Amino acid sequence: SSQSGGILQATAAPQPGSAAMLRPSALALVAASALALRAASASGMVDCGGHYESSCDRCPQGNKWSWCNGDCTWMQDPLNADDGMCVASLPLGGVMKANARFYEWALNFVGGGFVMLIFACVYYSKIIVGPPKMSKITGISGWRLGLFDCLGKPDTCLYTTFCMPVVVGKNYYAADLCGFWPGCLMTFVLTYSPLYPIGVLVRMYFSGLMQKKLGYENNVIVNCFHNLFCMPCVVGRESLEVDAETGADIRCCCRMTLQYKAAAAVENLVDKAEQGISRSCQRTCLPGGH
């Protein structure tokens, strides 16, 4: 109690759990955190984003990129999506840290492009120029394949999954739409970069030209939808159709046997006729038909 002007006034003591009691505790916690941060910096430890370690490579503790923050940056291995390392961020200030993801993508883009270029050179020497040299399509195509038919061809499926720009370059070369290298490089840049929407439009355009070359009906809306959501499947289907047209049988790794074009054309005509007869029979021979 206190006395002022002869009047006795009582001051209530702070109750446990009240804001008045919690405020000093919060301030103490902030002060303790600041002291811990100062002590960690003084002892040469690095900030991992939520804890401290003696070096950045000790930050992940098996948690990969999610525990590599603060003073450190996660560098993804371009050859292995499940591997990488936690390294110290470059001392370029906040701008570098804010753009860490861009630099990580750029490293993966350049590293992946270098590996793709080496494989493309081998593919070009073995498949395109041969011997035997890759043939061009003649326009006598077989029956139109399904979008997911490439899943039944393991070699084509592997090529389109891991080396899609190389397969696109081969398809464009065989269809005489453009050279192998322009098609390969254009597809790589537009597919594995923020320019992907432009890449979809470019692929839609070339898919239409490819279908005309092979004698198929061109549907712009379907081409746009397929290339937007399932581009590898579209490329795989085109590869199978081009290979059937040229008489090429391409296997891993960069092995090709080539059938004579006349024999391939006859085989395509027979295949188209058999498919047409089969579908006509399904319409007329099933119950309810005539």
Side-chain angles (χ1 to χ4, degrees), residues 42-194:
S43 62
M45 301 183 73
V46 296
D47 178 13
C48 300
H51 64 288
Y52 299 92
E53 291 290 347
S54 57
S55 60
C56 287
D57 61 329
R58 299 175 62 88
C59 288
Q61 299 181 16
N63 296 283
K64 299 183 181 179
W65 59 268
S66 61
W67 281 32
C68 182
N69 298 287
D71 296 332
C72 309
T73 300
W74 181 260
M75 301 299 293
Q76 186 69 42
D77 185 351
L79 302 180
N80 187 352
D82 296 327
D83 196 12
M85 63 178 63
C86 188
V87 299
S89 299
L90 296 179
L92 297 180
V95 175
M96 177 66 186
K97 292 182 180 180
N99 296 312
R101 291 297 179 185
F102 169 78
Y103 288 97
E104 179 182 348
W105 166 82
L107 179 63
N108 293 334
F109 183 81
V110 174
F114 180 73
V115 174
M116 186 81 69
L117 178 62
I118 294 176
F119 179 78
C121 292
V122 176
Y123 189 94
Y124 181 79
S125 64
K126 296 286 187 180
I127 303 298
I128 303 300
V129 298
K133 186 177 181 180
M134 183 78 181
S135 303
K136 300 294 183 71
I137 64 177
T138 59
I140 306 177
S141 57
W143 197 268
R144 183 64 161 161
L145 298 176
L147 182 61
F148 301 108
D149 281 0
C150 65
L151 298 178
K153 302 289 184 179
D155 297 277
T156 302
C157 190
L158 288 173
Y159 274 124
T160 55
T161 300
F162 298 102
C163 309
M164 188 178 70
V166 176
V167 180
V168 172
K170 181 264 295 183
N171 293 344
Y172 290 171
Y173 168 84
D176 211 15
L177 300 180
C178 69
F180 170 81
W181 288 111
C184 181
L185 296 175
M186 175 179 60
T187 303
F188 179 82
V189 172
L190 295 180
T191 302
Y192 304 114
S193 73

Side-chain angles (χ1 to χ4, degrees), residues 144-248:
R144 183 64 161 161
L145 298 176
L147 182 61
F148 301 108
D149 281 0
C150 65
L151 298 178
K153 302 289 184 179
D155 297 277
T156 302
C157 190
L158 288 173
Y159 274 124
T160 55
T161 300
F162 298 102
C163 309
M164 188 178 70
V166 176
V167 180
V168 172
K170 181 264 295 183
N171 293 344
Y172 290 171
Y173 168 84
D176 211 15
L177 300 180
C178 69
F180 170 81
W181 288 111
C184 181
L185 296 175
M186 175 179 60
T187 303
F188 179 82
V189 172
L190 295 180
T191 302
Y192 304 114
S193 73
L195 301 175
Y196 183 77
I198 300 177
V200 170
L201 297 177
V202 173
R203 273 289 309 155
M204 182 180 66
Y205 171 74
F206 277 101
S207 292
L209 295 180
M210 180 74 71
Q211 290 170 10
K212 290 181 180 178
K213 282 276 187 176
L214 293 171
Y216 301 134
E217 182 180 356
N218 178 25
N219 190 315
V220 177
I221 297 178
V222 173
N223 283 342
C224 180
F225 183 83
H226 285 173
N227 283 287
L228 180 61
F229 296 104
C230 200
M231 187 181 295
C233 295
V234 178
V235 173
R237 177 174 65 177
E238 289 179 356
S239 180
L240 292 176
E241 292 169 346
V242 167
D243 292 349
E245 173 70 17
T246 58

Side-chain angles (χ1 to χ4, degrees), residues 143 270-283:
W143 197 268
V270 171
D271 178 66
K272 179 176 280 188
E274 289 178 347
Q275 292 284 350
I277 293 173
S278 175
R279 295 194 177 192
S280 176
C281 181
Q282 289 178 0
R283 289 194 300 265

